[in-house]
Amino acid sequence: MREIFSEELEDLHVRFSEMGMLVNEAVYNSVKAFVNHDRELALEVIQNDEAINQREVDIEKRSFEMIALQQPVTSDLRMIVTIMKASSDLERMGDHAVSIAKSTIRVKGNTRVPEIEEDIAAMADIVKQMVEDVLDAYVKKDEQRARKIALQDQQVNEAFKTIYDKCIDEMKNDPQTVIGSTDYLMVGTYLERVGDYVTNICEWIVYLKTNKLTELNTNNQEMM
Amino acid sequence: MREIFSEELEDLHVRFSEMGMLVNEAVYNSVKAFVNHDRELALEVIQNDEAINQREVDIEKRSFEMIALQQPVTSDLRMIVTIMKASSDLERMGDHAVSIAKSTIRVKGNTRVPEIEEDIAAMADIVKQMVEDVLDAYVKKDEQRARKIALQDQQVNEAFKTIYDKCIDEMKNDPQTVIGSTDYLMVGTYLERVGDYVTNICEWIVYLKTNKLTELNTNNQEMM
């Protein structure tokens, strides 16, 4: 019985990591599509989201059954609850990738500002690295690394502040860029939210190690 | 033992509802502050968010202990898991109220557009009603009502679309309104997200009744 449980728990970890990789790919591709004005890739991101949602439902179901049928010991239960909650965070990160993809489809044809698009690409690079790092830290249950990753959210917020300021300037100086710049702002907020979700997952990793729910996000320093 | 468990479960419901009422108040006050340019009220919303976060931590802890120590039967377990997950949704709704409050503090002094502010107030009224209704449906475990509430999210999305179009027009026609209109857009997206979280909670209510995770949000029709 105990051995089967261990296998099921291991399987749950694998499924969570796989879901994380799908989400990472979605976020990465959505920004790539946005910056390269690639409508096909944007559509692909939107279509793939259903698979991510299905993964969450599957993880949810398996987690619930493991708790209901096998009454795990406290440490295992903590692991399962963490996966349940963190998979919601992953699913929402996928939703934001869809929002970015929708912006790509909407923005096509409007006047664009290459400099801001470069800033968005750079912001996305930081976020992508954070997503990859948090999945790795999760697999290794590395609390210290999780704390470090959460600190990077500050960089994401600063990157957004820069994009915000540039968009406001553009829109003031050239009404032609209003629709495009509004989309840059939206994409910026979506990426910023993805950073917040990474921070949430960092908090879950810390929880696994310390048994304490700790707020790692320095919310007060955030602009939005 | 069973009686104590029932009392604890009832207590958990009460705590969840109380948290919901705090969040509803936060969302309502944040929009009220935004529309009335009321900096004091906005600061109050930001300060009160800590209490909402604490509620979530408390619910989390109690839920976990109930599962770990009392190994509830499946139907009770489903209830506890639902509260755990839905309390995350409530907490994030509170975060969006804080974002709206921050917009209020930022926007002060900029050129404003009363017509759009009225639209935001009207959009907030729909959202507020949804939040109240979902808490009530939750208490009554009313699946049919939950499905109806989720449908209203469509109205929220339409309200946002109207605000979006008006903001774009304003910014194109009058560069003085760029900063203000950007904030209107941001507040619109926050309210739209709150509507999404209400839909999530509706899905949890359906889950309680049907044992199935159902996607109630017609995501494809959404603009953002």
Side-chain angles (χ1 to χ4, degrees):
Chain A
M1 187 70 180
R2 175 76 202 154
E3 200 174 313
I4 295 172
F5 182 81
S6 293
E7 276 172 26
E8 284 186 11
L9 191 56
E10 186 47 40
D11 181 56
L12 202 61
H13 283 302
V14 171
R15 284 168 192 273
F16 178 80
S17 295
E18 282 174 357
M19 182 182 170
M21 283 184 279
L22 286 180
V23 169
N24 194 28
E25 202 187 338
V27 173
Y28 179 72
N29 282 340
S30 68
V31 177
K32 197 173 154 192
F34 185 79
V35 173
N36 297 338
H37 319 185
D38 185 341
R39 206 169 177 276
E40 294 307 309
L41 187 58
L43 281 171
E44 207 180 283
V45 170
I46 294 169
Q47 276 153 9
N48 290 347
D49 191 51
E50 183 52 29
I52 292 173
N53 293 344
Q54 275 310 314
R55 293 266 174 165
E56 193 204 0
V57 171
D58 173 62
I59 288 172
E60 184 73 34
K61 196 168 165 284
R62 284 169 192 270
S63 306
F64 187 85
E65 281 169 4
M66 282 175 76
I67 299 173
L69 304 175
Q70 311 209 32
Q71 302 175 334
V73 296
T74 308
S75 60
D76 289 340
L77 178 62
R78 184 163 297 124
M79 204 84 89
I80 298 169
V81 166
T82 304
I83 290 176
M84 277 177 117
K85 296 204 84 162
S87 65
S88 297
D89 292 325
L90 285 181
E91 193 265 334
R92 276 167 204 158
M93 285 157 70
D95 287 345
H96 287 294
V98 169
S99 296
I100 295 171
K102 286 185 181 173
S103 289
T104 305
I105 291 164
R106 201 165 54 235
V107 87
K108 215 159 157 68
N110 292 317
T111 307
R112 311 194 64 148
V113 189
E115 189 194 330
I116 299 178
E117 296 193 348
E118 278 167 33
D119 286 345
I120 289 175
M123 182 180 177
D125 280 341
I126 307 173
V127 171
K128 179 175 179 278
Q129 194 59 52
M130 283 174 76
V131 177
E132 280 171 19
D133 288 350
V134 80
L135 291 170
D136 194 52
Y138 171 81
V139 170
K140 292 175 182 149
K141 310 275 168 283
D142 188 339
E143 180 204 343
Q144 291 312 317
R145 184 122 172 262
R147 287 180 184 274
K148 272 189 202 153
I149 296 164
L151 286 178
Q152 283 177 276
D153 199 34
Q154 194 57 30
Q155 280 174 260
V156 175
N157 294 338
E158 279 159 22
F160 180 60
K161 177 82 176 79
T162 305
I163 291 166
Y164 175 87
D165 289 341
K166 285 186 185 174
C167 287
I168 294 285
D169 281 348
E170 277 298 329
M171 292 194 281
K172 276 186 177 171
N173 295 330
D174 180 5
Q176 288 297 318
T177 64
V178 160
I179 296 182
S181 290
T182 300
D183 266 305
Y184 297 148
L185 275 175
M186 295 287 181
V187 170
T189 60
Y190 300 139
L191 286 174
E192 202 240 289
R193 287 280 160 205
V194 172
D196 289 345
Y197 287 123
V198 170
T199 307
N200 279 347
I201 299 178
C202 291
E203 289 171 2
W204 289 118
I205 297 170
V206 173
Y207 171 71
L208 276 181
K209 281 293 190 180
T210 62
N211 191 10
K212 278 196 188 117
L213 291 162
T214 317
E215 189 93 37
L216 295 179
N217 209 336
T218 46
N219 208 31
N220 292 332
Q221 289 165 41
E222 264 175 51
M223 191 190 159
M224 299 293 168
Chain B
M1 188 71 179
R2 176 76 202 155
E3 200 173 313
I4 294 172
F5 182 82
S6 292
E7 275 172 27
E8 283 185 11
L9 191 56
E10 186 46 41
D11 180 55
L12 202 60
H13 283 303
V14 171
R15 284 169 193 271
F16 178 81
S17 295
E18 282 174 357
M19 183 181 169
M21 284 185 276
L22 286 179
V23 169
N24 194 29
E25 201 188 338
V27 173
Y28 178 73
N29 281 341
S30 69
V31 177
K32 196 172 156 196
F34 185 80
V35 173
N36 296 337
H37 320 185
D38 185 342
R39 206 171 177 275
E40 293 308 308
L41 186 58
L43 281 172
E44 206 179 285
V45 170
I46 295 169
Q47 277 154 8
N48 289 348
D49 191 51
E50 182 52 29
I52 292 174
N53 293 344
Q54 274 310 314
R55 293 266 175 163
E56 191 203 3
V57 170
D58 172 64
I59 288 171
E60 185 72 36
K61 197 169 166 282
R62 284 171 192 269
S63 305
F64 187 84
E65 281 169 4
M66 282 174 77
I67 300 172
L69 304 176
Q70 311 209 34
Q71 302 174 334
V73 297
T74 307
S75 60
D76 289 342
L77 179 61
R78 182 162 300 122
M79 203 84 91
I80 297 170
V81 165
T82 304
I83 291 176
M84 276 178 118
K85 297 205 83 161
S87 65
S88 297
D89 292 325
L90 285 181
E91 193 266 332
R92 277 171 203 154
M93 286 158 71
D95 286 346
H96 287 295
V98 168
S99 296
I100 295 171
K102 285 184 181 173
S103 289
T104 305
I105 291 166
R106 204 166 51 235
V107 87
K108 212 158 160 70
N110 292 317
T111 308
R112 312 194 64 148
V113 188
E115 188 194 331
I116 300 178
E117 296 193 349
E118 278 167 32
D119 286 345
I120 290 176
M123 181 181 179
D125 280 341
I126 307 173
V127 172
K128 179 175 178 278
Q129 194 59 52
M130 283 174 76
V131 177
E132 279 171 20
D133 288 350
V134 81
L135 290 171
D136 194 51
Y138 171 83
V139 170
K140 293 174 183 150
K141 310 275 167 283
D142 188 340
E143 181 203 341
Q144 291 312 318
R145 183 120 175 263
R147 288 180 184 275
K148 272 190 201 152
I149 296 164
L151 287 177
Q152 283 179 275
D153 200 33
Q154 193 57 28
Q155 279 174 262
V156 175
N157 295 338
E158 279 160 22
F160 180 59
K161 177 80 179 78
T162 305
I163 291 166
Y164 175 87
D165 290 341
K166 285 186 185 175
C167 286
I168 295 285
D169 281 347
E170 277 297 329
M171 291 193 281
K172 276 187 176 169
N173 296 330
D174 180 5
Q176 288 298 319
T177 64
V178 160
I179 296 182
S181 290
T182 301
D183 267 304
Y184 297 148
L185 276 175
M186 296 286 179
V187 170
T189 60
Y190 300 138
L191 286 175
E192 201 241 289
R193 288 277 160 207
V194 172
D196 289 345
Y197 286 122
V198 169
T199 308
N200 280 346
I201 298 177
C202 291
E203 289 170 3
W204 290 118
I205 296 169
V206 173
Y207 171 72
L208 275 181
K209 281 292 189 181
T210 62
N211 191 11
K212 278 196 189 118
L213 291 162
T214 318
E215 190 93 35
L216 296 178
N217 208 335
T218 47
N219 209 29
N220 293 332
Q221 291 165 41
E222 263 175 52
M223 190 188 157
M224 299 293 171

